[in-house]
Amino acid sequence: DPLGRLAIPPAAPVTDLANVLSPDAEQALREKLIAFERERGSQIAVITVPSTQPEPISDFTNRVGDAWKIGRRDVGDGVLIAVAPQDRKVWISVARALEGAIPDVTATRITRELMGPAFARGDFAGGINAGFDAVMKRIEGEALPTPAGIPRHKVDAGKDLLGALVPLVIFGTIVAGLLRRLFGTPGAAMTSM
């Protein structure tokens, strides 16, 4: 990079270039993020680098986020957390659909009050975990589509779920009827022998 900026590594849920996580901690964080994405649809990722200098951590995080395209393109629900231990800096970058759930003031509080104290003790896994938990809690409060496409508030409420499922059941019956018409009734070939 002519500006002396860090190269962007391949996208991954957890990228620990600062080597502040043990293999077990890294694996646990990765599994947590993958499970959250599977359940909620929203993607969260973390990258640690020793330092982002001369680039401000906010610019670095946005650059990585743009390259990685975190979150669903049609929803815009990705979160990227960057940690630069040598610079003593943390940054949370949020895609547009989550700006209401995690405004700048909230992101700042998460980094300062939840992540910072753990980092100061040298507990990077604990700090990143605390950041994830706070971000996840915020996302859970949003009515974003789940991976199945049903808005989460309806799943939580439960009452509209039936309305979403009934058309699927009817559609399934129509498909079964069509298949019978195309291939004859199931078992008909057996009985004619």
Side-chain angles (χ1 to χ4, degrees):
D1 186 299
L3 301 173
R5 301 180 304 183
L6 292 174
I8 295 172
V14 181
T15 305
D16 181 26
L17 301 180
N19 292 318
V20 292
L21 299 171
S22 69
D24 286 352
E26 189 171 334
Q27 182 62 25
L29 288 169
R30 185 179 292 113
E31 285 170 7
K32 184 177 197 165
L33 295 182
I34 290 168
F36 185 77
E37 183 184 352
R38 201 173 289 137
E39 187 200 338
R40 293 279 165 175
S42 303
Q43 275 184 325
I44 308 171
V46 63
I47 182 168
T48 76
V49 291
S51 167
T52 66
Q53 297 301 328
E55 189 177 19
I57 193 166
S58 54
D59 293 1
F60 171 74
T61 314
N62 289 335
R63 197 159 59 86
V64 173
D66 287 346
W68 284 4
K69 310 256 183 289
I70 299 167
R72 293 170 288 183
R73 196 175 66 210
D74 53 337
V75 182
D77 57 347
V79 177
L80 177 62
I81 300 175
V83 182
Q86 283 174 22
D87 305 338
R88 303 171 69 89
K89 293 235 170 24
V90 191
W91 193 264
I92 299 177
S93 186
V94 175
R96 68 184 179 280
L98 295 174
E99 282 168 353
I102 311 166
D104 288 349
V105 62
T106 302
T108 303
R109 282 192 63 182
I110 291 170
T111 56
R112 189 184 297 138
E113 295 172 20
L114 298 175
M115 302 178 77
F119 291 168
R121 295 192 301 272
D123 180 9
F124 285 92
I128 291 168
N129 245 315
F132 283 165
D133 289 346
V135 166
M136 287 171 178
K137 212 173 260 121
R138 288 283 177 162
I139 292 173
E140 283 166 2
E142 292 296 287
L144 297 169
T146 57
I150 302 165
R152 172 57 59 178
H153 64 279
K154 291 191 177 172
V155 175
D156 289 342
K159 53 181 179 287
D160 291 353
L161 196 54
L162 241 60
L165 293 177
V166 168
L168 293 177
V169 174
I170 294 166
F171 180 69
T173 314
I174 293 167
V175 170
L178 280 173
L179 288 175
R180 264 200 298 279
R181 206 165 303 144
L182 287 172
F183 299 111
T185 47
M190 304 293 286
T191 51
S192 62
M193 285 167 72

